[in-house]
Amino acid sequence: MVDGIHQSVGLPSHIQQSERTTSVTSNERLRSRETQELRHSYEQAAELSPQLQQYQRAVELVKQAPDIRHDRVDAVRRQVLNGRYTVPLNELADRIAAALARGQE
């Protein structure tokens, strides 16, 4: 678009070339700055504390873990079907009381 305007006005080609070079140089500076900022971000990430690194590893392990523990579900299902599953009433009462207490806060 700019080239079309310059050509219709009749600007000399060396001015047109100068403006294109300036535009390229500005783009190169912008990319260089973005690259430096990205490099700085990576350097900061590499300097994470050991505790944060452990935390990140733990988060990754949790993400990889299945949402449902099928082995546990199957074991409880077998107990229910065989009539051997018993609900630990003390634990159940504690959990109900804790849930009610959270609801009142």
Side-chain angles (χ1 to χ4, degrees):
M1 186 70 157
V2 172
D3 290 336
I5 292 172
H6 291 307
Q7 289 171 355
S8 65
V9 174
L11 291 176
S13 63
H14 70 279
I15 292 175
Q16 293 175 16
Q17 181 63 34
S18 172
E19 288 185 9
R20 277 192 223 120
T21 304
T22 302
S23 175
V24 170
T25 304
S26 297
N27 288 337
E28 288 173 352
R29 281 191 210 124
L30 180 60
R31 273 186 254 143
S32 176
R33 187 172 351 121
E34 289 172 347
T35 302
Q36 289 172 353
E37 289 172 0
L38 187 58
R39 185 177 297 126
H40 181 68
S41 296
Y42 286 135
E43 289 170 356
Q44 285 180 331
E47 296 174 3
L48 297 176
S49 72
Q51 291 173 332
L52 188 53
Q53 289 174 356
Q54 287 178 339
Y55 174 78
Q56 286 179 329
R57 277 187 232 119
V59 167
E60 286 302 316
L61 289 173
V62 168
K63 286 180 181 178
Q64 293 173 3
D67 290 336
I68 299 172
R69 294 182 49 200
H70 294 286
D71 58 333
R72 182 74 178 127
V73 171
D74 291 340
V76 170
R77 181 177 288 131
R78 282 192 301 273
Q79 289 176 342
V80 169
L81 290 173
N82 294 331
R84 288 187 269 173
Y85 181 77
T86 57
V87 177
L89 297 179
N90 289 341
E91 284 183 35
L92 179 61
D94 290 342
R95 289 185 182 196
I96 290 172
L100 290 173
R102 281 192 306 270
Q104 294 175 358
E105 293 176 359

XYZ file of all heavy atoms in Angstrom:
841
model
N 0.828 -1.187 0.000
C 0.000 0.000 0.000
C 0.869 1.246 0.000
O 0.646 2.152 -0.741
C -0.931 -0.036 1.214
C -1.925 1.080 1.216
S -3.116 0.815 -0.075
C -4.457 1.738 0.501
N 1.891 1.283 0.854
C 2.772 2.443 0.916
C 3.508 2.607 -0.402
O 3.648 3.703 -0.916
C 3.773 2.310 2.094
C 4.813 3.404 2.049
C 3.031 2.326 3.406
N 3.956 1.488 -0.993
C 4.665 1.577 -2.262
C 3.773 2.178 -3.338
O 4.208 2.995 -4.126
C 5.150 0.195 -2.711
C 6.280 -0.309 -1.830
O 6.963 0.544 -1.224
O 6.478 -1.537 -1.744
N 2.505 1.794 -3.355
C 1.572 2.345 -4.340
C 1.407 3.839 -4.182
O 1.324 4.580 -5.146
N 1.365 4.333 -2.969
C 1.225 5.769 -2.711
C 2.467 6.497 -3.195
O 2.391 7.503 -3.864
C 0.986 6.047 -1.215
C -0.381 5.513 -0.804
C 1.112 7.528 -0.902
C -0.635 5.554 0.691
N 3.640 5.949 -2.853
C 4.880 6.608 -3.260
C 5.015 6.650 -4.776
O 5.460 7.640 -5.336
C 6.096 5.890 -2.657
C 6.193 6.048 -1.171
N 6.170 7.257 -0.545
C 6.303 5.122 -0.188
C 6.269 7.092 0.759
N 6.350 5.789 1.007
N 4.603 5.574 -5.417
C 4.728 5.540 -6.868
C 3.762 6.525 -7.519
O 4.099 7.176 -8.486
C 4.483 4.121 -7.382
C 5.624 3.198 -7.031
C 5.312 1.739 -7.347
O 4.202 1.415 -7.752
N 6.306 0.884 -7.165
N 2.554 6.666 -6.947
C 1.601 7.586 -7.563
C 2.025 9.023 -7.337
O 1.736 9.894 -8.141
C 0.190 7.351 -7.010
O 0.148 7.671 -5.632
N 2.733 9.305 -6.219
C 3.208 10.656 -5.950
C 4.484 10.911 -6.736
O 4.831 12.035 -7.013
C 3.441 10.842 -4.428
C 4.080 12.177 -4.128
C 2.148 10.686 -3.677
N 5.174 9.852 -7.089
C 6.382 9.982 -7.873
C 7.630 10.194 -7.031
O 8.532 10.902 -7.446
N 7.692 9.592 -5.825
C 8.887 9.718 -5.002
C 10.010 8.895 -5.605
O 9.780 7.840 -6.194
C 8.604 9.233 -3.573
C 7.661 10.105 -2.748
C 7.396 9.440 -1.405
C 8.224 11.487 -2.526
N 11.216 9.366 -5.453
C 12.361 8.634 -5.992
C 12.474 7.259 -5.339
O 12.090 7.047 -4.191
C 13.559 9.511 -5.618
C 12.988 10.853 -5.318
C 11.597 10.633 -4.850
N 13.016 6.319 -6.073
C 13.095 4.937 -5.605
C 13.997 4.803 -4.378
O 13.771 3.941 -3.536
C 13.590 4.021 -6.718
O 14.898 4.390 -7.101
N 15.052 5.668 -4.232
C 15.936 5.536 -3.063
C 15.191 5.906 -1.774
O 15.469 5.376 -0.717
C 17.218 6.368 -3.230
C 17.000 7.856 -3.161
N 16.540 8.584 -4.236
C 17.177 8.735 -2.144
C 16.443 9.857 -3.899
N 16.826 9.991 -2.627
N 14.178 6.791 -1.848
C 13.364 7.117 -0.659
C 12.445 5.933 -0.349
O 12.287 5.541 0.794
C 12.547 8.402 -0.875
C 13.492 9.605 -0.961
C 11.540 8.597 0.247
C 12.794 10.911 -1.285
N 11.873 5.349 -1.402
C 11.029 4.180 -1.190
C 11.838 3.049 -0.549
O 11.395 2.402 0.388
C 10.440 3.702 -2.518
C 9.452 4.672 -3.129
C 8.985 4.211 -4.495
O 9.158 3.045 -4.865
N 8.388 5.125 -5.248
N 13.052 2.819 -1.044
C 13.909 1.763 -0.508
C 14.275 2.069 0.937
O 14.285 1.191 1.783
C 15.184 1.611 -1.361
C 16.107 0.509 -0.878
C 15.450 -0.858 -0.963
O 14.657 -1.136 -1.852
N 15.759 -1.715 -0.010
N 14.542 3.329 1.263
C 14.895 3.734 2.618
C 13.752 3.433 3.584
O 13.966 2.954 4.688
C 15.239 5.217 2.645
O 15.408 5.647 3.973
N 12.528 3.707 3.168
C 11.385 3.441 4.036
C 11.189 1.952 4.248
O 10.861 1.509 5.335
C 10.127 4.090 3.459
C 10.150 5.593 3.605
C 8.854 6.236 3.140
O 7.890 5.504 2.859
O 8.823 7.469 3.061
N 11.410 1.147 3.212
C 11.305 -0.302 3.370
C 12.370 -0.808 4.332
O 12.105 -1.646 5.176
C 11.456 -0.990 2.005
C 10.185 -1.028 1.245
C 10.309 -1.956 0.048
N 9.674 -1.277 -1.064
C 10.258 -0.935 -2.193
N 11.514 -1.235 -2.422
N 9.595 -0.306 -3.131
N 13.592 -0.303 4.214
C 14.684 -0.710 5.106
C 14.367 -0.335 6.536
O 14.574 -1.115 7.455
C 16.008 -0.050 4.667
O 16.250 -0.389 3.309
C 17.156 -0.511 5.538
N 13.824 0.852 6.756
C 13.444 1.286 8.098
C 12.385 0.362 8.672
O 12.441 -0.037 9.827
C 12.918 2.729 8.063
O 13.925 3.581 7.515
C 12.546 3.208 9.452
N 11.428 -0.023 7.842
C 10.370 -0.926 8.296
C 10.941 -2.282 8.677
O 10.594 -2.848 9.700
C 9.325 -1.076 7.190
O 8.369 -2.028 7.562
N 11.852 -2.814 7.870
C 12.477 -4.100 8.166
C 13.293 -4.000 9.443
O 13.224 -4.867 10.304
C 13.363 -4.564 6.980
C 14.208 -5.757 7.368
C 12.494 -4.893 5.783
N 14.043 -2.916 9.592
C 14.858 -2.734 10.785
C 13.984 -2.669 12.033
O 14.297 -3.272 13.047
C 15.710 -1.453 10.668
O 16.481 -1.528 9.479
C 16.631 -1.300 11.843
N 12.856 -1.989 11.968
C 11.938 -1.921 13.101
C 11.413 -3.303 13.444
O 11.325 -3.679 14.610
C 10.766 -0.996 12.794
O 11.227 0.315 12.586
N 11.045 -4.088 12.435
C 10.561 -5.451 12.666
C 11.646 -6.313 13.294
O 11.379 -7.105 14.188
C 10.077 -6.086 11.362
C 8.773 -5.484 10.890
O 8.024 -4.928 11.683
N 8.509 -5.596 9.601
N 12.885 -6.154 12.816
C 13.986 -6.933 13.379
C 14.215 -6.563 14.842
O 14.450 -7.424 15.679
C 15.263 -6.705 12.570
C 15.228 -7.361 11.213
C 16.421 -6.985 10.358
O 17.212 -6.098 10.762
O 16.567 -7.579 9.279
N 14.133 -5.278 15.168
C 14.297 -4.848 16.558
C 13.200 -5.438 17.438
O 13.456 -5.889 18.538
C 14.259 -3.322 16.653
C 15.531 -2.667 16.264
C 15.503 -1.180 16.637
N 16.309 -0.456 15.705
C 15.925 0.571 14.967
N 14.719 1.059 15.083
N 16.746 1.152 14.129
N 11.981 -5.410 16.934
C 10.858 -5.951 17.687
C 11.061 -7.443 17.948
O 10.905 -7.917 19.065
C 9.544 -5.720 16.935
C 8.282 -6.249 17.609
C 8.086 -5.581 18.969
C 7.070 -6.003 16.724
N 11.434 -8.190 16.910
C 11.688 -9.621 17.078
C 12.841 -9.872 18.021
O 12.792 -10.770 18.849
C 11.960 -10.272 15.723
C 10.679 -10.700 15.047
C 10.951 -11.460 13.793
N 10.618 -10.503 12.736
C 11.252 -10.367 11.605
N 12.240 -11.137 11.302
N 10.887 -9.466 10.727
N 13.883 -9.057 17.934
C 15.028 -9.212 18.817
C 14.626 -8.979 20.268
O 15.015 -9.722 21.164
C 16.132 -8.236 18.414
O 17.201 -8.313 19.327
N 13.813 -7.954 20.516
C 13.347 -7.656 21.870
C 12.482 -8.799 22.393
O 12.613 -9.229 23.523
C 12.570 -6.340 21.889
C 12.216 -5.908 23.298
C 11.612 -4.510 23.390
N 11.646 -3.731 22.183
C 10.564 -3.232 21.574
N 9.372 -3.433 22.072
N 10.674 -2.522 20.479
N 11.593 -9.310 21.535
C 10.731 -10.422 21.948
C 11.570 -11.654 22.276
O 11.310 -12.358 23.244
C 9.726 -10.752 20.844
C 8.655 -9.696 20.683
C 7.789 -9.937 19.450
O 8.162 -10.768 18.596
O 6.747 -9.273 19.349
N 12.608 -11.897 21.470
C 13.490 -13.032 21.720
C 14.216 -12.864 23.042
O 14.332 -13.809 23.820
C 14.510 -13.178 20.572
O 13.800 -13.336 19.353
C 15.430 -14.359 20.793
N 14.692 -11.665 23.315
C 15.382 -11.413 24.581
C 14.450 -11.603 25.769
O 14.830 -12.186 26.773
C 15.970 -9.997 24.590
C 17.156 -9.823 23.670
C 17.587 -8.364 23.562
O 16.918 -7.480 24.079
N 18.699 -8.129 22.885
N 13.217 -11.124 25.648
C 12.253 -11.285 26.737
C 11.937 -12.755 26.968
O 11.847 -13.209 28.103
C 10.974 -10.510 26.421
C 11.148 -9.014 26.498
C 9.930 -8.247 25.990
O 8.943 -8.882 25.585
O 9.986 -7.006 25.998
N 11.800 -13.511 25.884
C 11.522 -14.935 25.999
C 12.710 -15.654 26.635
O 12.534 -16.493 27.522
C 11.221 -15.515 24.617
C 10.758 -16.955 24.563
C 9.487 -17.123 25.391
C 10.499 -17.377 23.134
N 13.911 -15.306 26.219
C 15.112 -15.913 26.791
C 15.187 -15.610 28.288
O 15.491 -16.478 29.092
C 16.363 -15.388 26.081
C 17.647 -16.074 26.545
C 18.882 -15.595 25.789
N 18.767 -15.916 24.370
C 18.891 -15.028 23.381
N 19.144 -13.770 23.649
N 18.777 -15.400 22.135
N 14.859 -14.376 28.663
C 14.864 -13.987 30.073
C 13.847 -14.819 30.855
O 14.125 -15.266 31.966
C 14.564 -12.500 30.212
C 14.577 -11.992 31.607
N 15.731 -11.911 32.363
C 13.573 -11.568 32.415
C 15.424 -11.453 33.568
N 14.123 -11.239 33.626
N 12.682 -15.045 30.274
C 11.657 -15.858 30.935
C 12.158 -17.269 31.162
O 11.962 -17.854 32.227
C 10.383 -15.910 30.096
O 9.828 -14.642 29.975
N 12.814 -17.847 30.139
C 13.349 -19.197 30.280
C 14.450 -19.252 31.337
O 14.537 -20.198 32.104
C 13.889 -19.724 28.954
C 12.809 -20.114 27.978
C 12.877 -19.734 26.650
C 11.708 -20.868 28.388
C 11.886 -20.093 25.755
C 10.716 -21.233 27.497
C 10.814 -20.842 26.181
O 9.831 -21.198 25.294
N 15.279 -18.215 31.387
C 16.337 -18.189 32.393
C 15.746 -18.116 33.789
O 16.214 -18.780 34.710
C 17.278 -17.006 32.142
C 18.158 -17.181 30.917
C 18.917 -15.918 30.542
O 18.710 -14.864 31.200
O 19.698 -15.972 29.577
N 14.695 -17.318 33.963
C 14.050 -17.241 35.273
C 13.432 -18.580 35.638
O 13.503 -19.015 36.781
C 12.975 -16.158 35.278
C 13.524 -14.768 35.324
C 12.412 -13.730 35.324
O 11.339 -13.965 34.781
N 12.676 -12.598 35.930
N 12.828 -19.243 34.670
C 12.204 -20.544 34.939
C 13.261 -21.570 35.319
O 13.014 -22.444 36.143
C 11.429 -21.015 33.722
N 14.460 -21.447 34.737
C 15.525 -22.395 35.047
C 16.073 -22.186 36.451
O 16.686 -23.081 37.020
C 16.650 -22.254 34.028
N 15.845 -21.027 37.027
C 16.362 -20.713 38.350
C 15.334 -20.947 39.452
O 15.395 -20.344 40.513
C 16.819 -19.250 38.380
C 17.970 -18.961 37.443
C 18.294 -17.482 37.381
O 17.670 -16.692 38.101
O 19.174 -17.126 36.594
N 14.374 -21.824 39.223
C 13.352 -22.092 40.221
C 13.962 -22.750 41.448
O 14.917 -23.504 41.356
C 12.268 -23.000 39.644
C 11.486 -22.434 38.472
C 10.523 -23.480 37.950
C 10.744 -21.189 38.879
N 13.375 -22.477 42.570
C 13.863 -23.075 43.804
C 13.628 -24.583 43.770
O 12.733 -25.069 43.083
C 13.136 -22.463 44.997
O 11.797 -22.921 45.030
N 14.424 -25.324 44.507
C 14.237 -26.780 44.560
C 12.833 -27.163 45.036
O 12.257 -28.129 44.551
C 15.297 -27.249 45.552
C 16.354 -26.189 45.512
C 15.610 -24.906 45.234
N 12.279 -26.383 45.964
C 10.933 -26.687 46.448
C 9.908 -26.547 45.330
O 9.009 -27.372 45.189
C 10.560 -25.773 47.606
C 11.339 -26.051 48.864
C 11.055 -25.010 49.941
O 10.727 -23.870 49.631
N 11.192 -25.410 51.200
N 10.048 -25.503 44.534
C 9.113 -25.293 43.428
C 9.295 -26.380 42.371
O 8.325 -26.841 41.784
C 9.298 -23.907 42.817
C 8.263 -23.483 41.781
C 6.845 -23.640 42.330
C 8.479 -22.046 41.374
N 10.524 -26.805 42.146
C 10.762 -27.894 41.197
C 10.089 -29.178 41.682
O 9.472 -29.899 40.893
C 12.261 -28.107 41.000
C 12.920 -26.985 40.229
C 14.428 -27.136 40.155
O 15.005 -28.047 40.747
N 15.073 -26.240 39.427
N 10.175 -29.466 42.974
C 9.509 -30.643 43.531
C 7.994 -30.511 43.374
O 7.310 -31.478 43.040
C 9.857 -30.823 45.005
C 11.263 -31.319 45.233
C 11.572 -31.441 46.719
O 10.923 -30.826 47.551
N 12.580 -32.238 47.041
N 7.493 -29.320 43.627
C 6.061 -29.078 43.480
C 5.625 -29.341 42.039
O 4.607 -29.987 41.797
C 5.723 -27.643 43.901
C 4.289 -27.265 43.642
C 3.268 -27.696 44.483
C 3.946 -26.499 42.534
C 1.948 -27.367 44.235
C 2.628 -26.168 42.275
C 1.642 -26.601 43.129
O 0.338 -26.278 42.881
N 6.404 -28.835 41.084
C 6.065 -29.034 39.677
C 6.080 -30.516 39.312
O 5.227 -30.992 38.573
C 7.019 -28.254 38.771
C 6.751 -26.772 38.772
C 7.711 -26.008 37.887
O 8.868 -26.398 37.722
N 7.237 -24.912 37.317
N 7.060 -31.256 39.832
C 7.101 -32.700 39.573
C 5.869 -33.387 40.147
O 5.279 -34.265 39.520
C 8.376 -33.313 40.169
C 9.562 -33.136 39.246
C 10.774 -33.899 39.755
N 11.855 -32.928 39.796
C 12.533 -32.551 40.849
N 12.320 -33.102 42.006
N 13.470 -31.645 40.776
N 5.480 -32.987 41.357
C 4.300 -33.578 41.990
C 3.045 -33.287 41.173
O 2.199 -34.169 40.977
C 4.147 -33.055 43.414
N 2.930 -32.071 40.672
C 1.766 -31.707 39.856
C 1.725 -32.566 38.597
O 0.660 -33.064 38.202
C 1.790 -30.197 39.499
C 0.783 -29.869 38.410
C 1.533 -29.365 40.742
N 2.867 -32.771 37.969
C 2.914 -33.599 36.765
C 2.506 -35.037 37.073
O 1.780 -35.662 36.303
C 4.311 -33.571 36.127
C 4.623 -32.273 35.422
C 3.618 -31.946 34.334
O 3.241 -32.836 33.548
O 3.177 -30.784 34.271
N 2.957 -35.572 38.202
C 2.581 -36.935 38.579
C 1.078 -37.044 38.820
O 0.446 -38.024 38.420
C 3.350 -37.380 39.829
C 4.838 -37.651 39.628
C 5.516 -37.925 40.964
C 5.033 -38.834 38.689
N 0.518 -36.046 39.468
C -0.924 -36.051 39.715
C -1.684 -35.985 38.392
O -2.687 -36.669 38.203
C -1.332 -34.888 40.645
C -2.834 -34.699 40.684
C -0.780 -35.124 42.047
N -1.192 -35.177 37.461
C -1.848 -35.070 36.155
C -1.819 -36.399 35.408
O -2.729 -36.720 34.655
C -1.180 -33.988 35.301
C -1.502 -32.579 35.731
C -0.804 -31.585 34.830
C -1.076 -30.160 35.250
N -0.363 -29.197 34.397
N -0.745 -37.166 35.607
C -0.606 -38.440 34.912
C -1.415 -39.559 35.574
O -1.710 -40.562 34.940
C 0.863 -38.847 34.849
C 1.692 -37.935 33.983
C 3.179 -38.246 34.068
O 3.591 -39.186 34.729
N 3.987 -37.444 33.402
N -1.763 -39.377 36.831
C -2.510 -40.402 37.555
C -3.932 -40.486 37.027
O -4.530 -39.474 36.666
C -2.520 -40.082 39.050
N -4.478 -41.693 36.984
C -5.865 -41.821 36.506
C -6.838 -41.193 37.495
O -6.583 -41.165 38.698
C -6.074 -43.331 36.418
C -5.055 -43.927 37.335
C -3.894 -42.969 37.350
N -7.943 -40.690 36.975
C -8.960 -40.076 37.827
C -9.672 -41.111 38.690
O -10.108 -40.825 39.787
C -9.985 -39.326 36.982
C -9.402 -38.083 36.341
O -8.414 -37.553 36.871
O -9.947 -37.654 35.317
N -9.808 -42.312 38.160
C -10.509 -43.379 38.872
C -9.524 -44.511 39.122
O -8.859 -44.978 38.203
C -11.704 -43.894 38.043
C -12.693 -42.763 37.800
C -12.361 -45.082 38.724
C -13.803 -43.125 36.845
N -9.451 -44.930 40.349
C -8.605 -46.081 40.689
C -9.439 -47.345 40.497
O -10.125 -47.797 41.393
C -8.094 -45.950 42.117
C -7.143 -44.767 42.278
C -6.607 -44.647 43.663
N -6.089 -45.922 44.151
C -5.912 -46.187 45.438
N -6.212 -45.287 46.349
N -5.445 -47.346 45.814
N -9.358 -47.879 39.294
C -10.192 -49.022 38.931
C -9.933 -50.228 39.826
O -10.868 -50.977 40.127
C -9.993 -49.377 37.458
C -10.482 -48.308 36.527
N -11.813 -48.095 36.298
C -9.806 -47.384 35.793
C -11.952 -47.094 35.452
N -10.753 -46.639 35.135
N -8.701 -50.413 40.259
C -8.408 -51.549 41.132
C -9.173 -51.433 42.450
O -9.745 -52.404 42.949
C -6.907 -51.679 41.380
C -6.291 -50.431 42.001
O -6.824 -49.323 41.790
O -5.268 -50.567 42.703
N -9.223 -50.226 42.991
C -9.947 -49.999 44.256
C -11.457 -50.141 44.056
O -12.149 -50.757 44.875
C -9.615 -48.599 44.788
C -10.241 -48.273 46.089
C -9.569 -49.012 47.231
N -10.210 -48.602 48.483
C -10.709 -49.453 49.361
N -10.590 -50.746 49.178
N -11.281 -49.014 50.442
N -11.961 -49.611 42.963
C -13.388 -49.709 42.667
C -13.785 -51.174 42.508
O -14.811 -51.617 43.053
C -13.751 -48.901 41.392
C -15.179 -49.184 40.948
C -13.537 -47.421 41.625
N -12.980 -51.951 41.790
C -13.285 -53.372 41.595
C -13.268 -54.129 42.917
O -14.126 -54.999 43.150
C -12.301 -54.003 40.610
C -12.493 -53.501 39.182
O -13.591 -52.969 38.881
O -11.547 -53.622 38.384
N -12.311 -53.814 43.780
C -12.237 -54.494 45.074
C -13.477 -54.203 45.918
O -14.061 -55.120 46.515
C -10.965 -54.061 45.822
N -13.910 -52.960 45.965
C -15.100 -52.599 46.742
C -16.341 -53.229 46.112
O -17.228 -53.733 46.816
C -15.235 -51.061 46.857
C -16.579 -50.672 47.451
C -14.092 -50.486 47.676
N -16.408 -53.233 44.787
C -17.554 -53.840 44.094
C -17.673 -55.324 44.462
O -18.773 -55.819 44.747
C -17.388 -53.678 42.590
C -18.557 -54.274 41.804
C -18.437 -54.061 40.304
N -18.679 -52.651 40.020
C -17.905 -51.885 39.251
N -16.843 -52.388 38.680
N -18.179 -50.620 39.062
N -16.543 -56.041 44.466
C -16.568 -57.461 44.841
C -17.053 -57.643 46.277
O -17.835 -58.549 46.570
C -15.181 -58.089 44.665
C -14.842 -58.413 43.213
C -13.600 -59.294 43.104
N -12.425 -58.679 43.706
C -11.597 -57.839 43.082
N -11.819 -57.516 41.828
N -10.554 -57.329 43.711
N -16.577 -56.762 47.177
C -17.012 -56.855 48.577
C -18.513 -56.626 48.700
O -19.199 -57.334 49.450
C -16.259 -55.843 49.445
C -14.810 -56.192 49.656
C -14.095 -55.104 50.453
O -14.563 -53.981 50.568
N -12.937 -55.458 51.004
N -19.050 -55.655 47.977
C -20.492 -55.364 48.024
C -21.274 -56.558 47.487
O -22.256 -57.005 48.094
C -20.830 -54.077 47.238
C -22.331 -53.929 47.051
C -20.238 -52.864 47.939
N -20.840 -57.097 46.339
C -21.545 -58.230 45.725
C -21.514 -59.468 46.621
O -22.464 -60.250 46.642
C -20.949 -58.545 44.358
C -21.215 -57.503 43.272
C -20.439 -57.841 41.999
C -22.698 -57.392 42.985
N -20.428 -59.656 47.350
C -20.291 -60.814 48.241
C -20.910 -60.565 49.611
O -20.903 -61.453 50.461
C -18.823 -61.205 48.411
C -18.220 -61.723 47.115
O -18.925 -62.289 46.286
N -16.927 -61.522 46.944
N -21.393 -59.344 49.838
C -22.005 -59.025 51.125
C -20.995 -58.828 52.245
O -21.337 -58.896 53.420
N -19.764 -58.571 51.900
C -18.720 -58.395 52.912
C -18.262 -56.947 53.072
O -17.360 -56.668 53.835
C -17.505 -59.264 52.570
C -17.776 -60.736 52.807
C -16.532 -61.521 52.626
N -16.539 -61.907 51.194
C -15.553 -62.495 50.574
N -14.448 -62.765 51.190
N -15.652 -62.817 49.311
N -18.881 -56.034 52.372
C -18.480 -54.630 52.502
C -19.201 -54.024 53.697
O -20.426 -54.081 53.799
C -18.812 -53.829 51.238
C -18.387 -52.387 51.338
C -17.062 -52.028 51.190
C -19.317 -51.384 51.597
C -16.664 -50.709 51.293
C -18.933 -50.058 51.697
C -17.606 -49.725 51.550
O -17.216 -48.423 51.652
N -18.428 -53.464 54.582
C -19.013 -52.801 55.745
C -18.567 -51.351 55.762
O -17.418 -51.034 55.438
C -18.572 -53.473 57.061
O -17.145 -53.465 57.133
C -19.078 -54.906 57.140
N -19.472 -50.511 56.117
C -19.167 -49.080 56.205
C -18.628 -48.818 57.605
O -19.289 -49.118 58.587
C -20.439 -48.242 55.963
C -20.142 -46.760 56.135
C -21.009 -48.529 54.590
N -17.419 -48.270 57.704
C -16.891 -47.918 59.033
C -17.695 -46.736 59.585
O -17.506 -45.597 59.175
C -15.427 -47.552 58.777
C -15.264 -47.461 57.296
C -16.477 -48.035 56.647
N -18.609 -47.033 60.506
C -19.561 -46.024 60.983
C -18.892 -44.834 61.662
O -19.356 -43.697 61.513
C -20.582 -46.680 61.911
C -21.463 -47.747 61.239
C -22.428 -48.358 62.256
C -22.229 -47.155 60.080
N -17.812 -45.047 62.380
C -17.114 -43.933 63.035
C -16.558 -42.954 61.990
O -16.683 -41.738 62.149
C -15.990 -44.427 63.933
C -16.511 -45.125 65.175
O -17.666 -44.938 65.551
N -15.675 -45.925 65.809
N -15.942 -43.501 60.945
C -15.410 -42.637 59.884
C -16.539 -41.896 59.170
O -16.412 -40.714 58.857
C -14.619 -43.459 58.865
C -13.251 -43.879 59.337
C -12.503 -44.629 58.239
O -12.664 -44.280 57.037
O -11.764 -45.559 58.594
N -17.610 -42.609 58.910
C -18.762 -41.989 58.241
C -19.313 -40.839 59.076
O -19.568 -39.746 58.559
C -19.852 -43.039 57.983
C -21.119 -42.536 57.307
C -20.812 -41.959 55.929
C -22.145 -43.656 57.212
N -19.464 -41.057 60.366
C -19.990 -40.011 61.255
C -19.043 -38.817 61.299
O -19.486 -37.658 61.251
C -20.194 -40.582 62.662
N -17.729 -39.080 61.359
C -16.751 -37.987 61.375
C -16.823 -37.158 60.092
O -16.768 -35.931 60.124
C -15.333 -38.526 61.561
C -15.088 -39.075 62.959
O -15.872 -38.751 63.881
O -14.105 -39.840 63.123
N -16.952 -37.840 58.974
C -17.013 -37.124 57.691
C -18.296 -36.310 57.555
O -18.280 -35.199 57.033
C -16.864 -38.093 56.535
C -15.458 -38.640 56.429
C -15.294 -39.497 55.230
N -13.940 -40.038 55.184
C -13.410 -40.576 54.113
N -14.114 -40.662 52.992
N -12.197 -41.038 54.139
N -19.399 -36.867 58.015
C -20.665 -36.128 57.958
C -20.581 -34.889 58.854
O -20.978 -33.784 58.447
C -21.846 -37.030 58.373
C -22.094 -38.085 57.296
C -23.110 -36.197 58.593
C -23.116 -39.148 57.686
N -20.026 -35.047 60.049
C -19.894 -33.909 60.969
C -18.984 -32.840 60.380
O -19.269 -31.639 60.473
C -19.370 -34.390 62.317
N -17.887 -33.262 59.764
C -16.961 -32.297 59.152
C -17.620 -31.551 57.989
O -17.449 -30.347 57.841
C -15.700 -33.019 58.666
N -18.413 -32.271 57.186
C -19.089 -31.633 56.057
C -20.133 -30.642 56.556
O -20.256 -29.532 55.997
C -19.771 -32.695 55.186
N -20.830 -30.983 57.615
C -21.819 -30.053 58.182
C -21.130 -28.818 58.762
O -21.631 -27.711 58.625
C -22.665 -30.763 59.249
C -23.636 -31.823 58.706
C -24.280 -32.574 59.862
C -24.673 -31.182 57.806
N -20.000 -29.026 59.416
C -19.263 -27.897 60.008
C -18.765 -26.956 58.906
O -18.801 -25.741 59.073
C -18.099 -28.413 60.839
N -18.305 -27.498 57.786
C -17.854 -26.646 56.684
C -19.004 -25.855 56.093
O -18.839 -24.724 55.692
C -17.211 -27.502 55.589
C -15.797 -27.919 55.880
C -15.140 -28.493 54.639
N -15.895 -29.585 54.031
C -15.757 -30.871 54.323
N -14.896 -31.249 55.233
N -16.475 -31.783 53.704
N -20.171 -26.442 56.080
C -21.349 -25.772 55.530
C -21.828 -24.617 56.396
O -22.444 -23.679 55.919
N -21.511 -24.643 57.666
C -21.947 -23.583 58.586
C -20.991 -22.406 58.621
O -21.327 -21.363 59.108
C -22.114 -24.159 60.002
C -23.236 -25.153 60.103
C -23.301 -25.792 61.489
O -22.484 -25.503 62.344
N -24.292 -26.649 61.695
N -19.811 -22.576 58.099
C -18.799 -21.505 58.143
C -19.107 -20.406 57.171
O -19.722 -20.461 56.220
C -17.407 -22.062 57.863
C -16.933 -22.975 58.963
C -15.576 -23.617 58.617
O -15.041 -23.359 57.527
O -15.082 -24.352 59.446
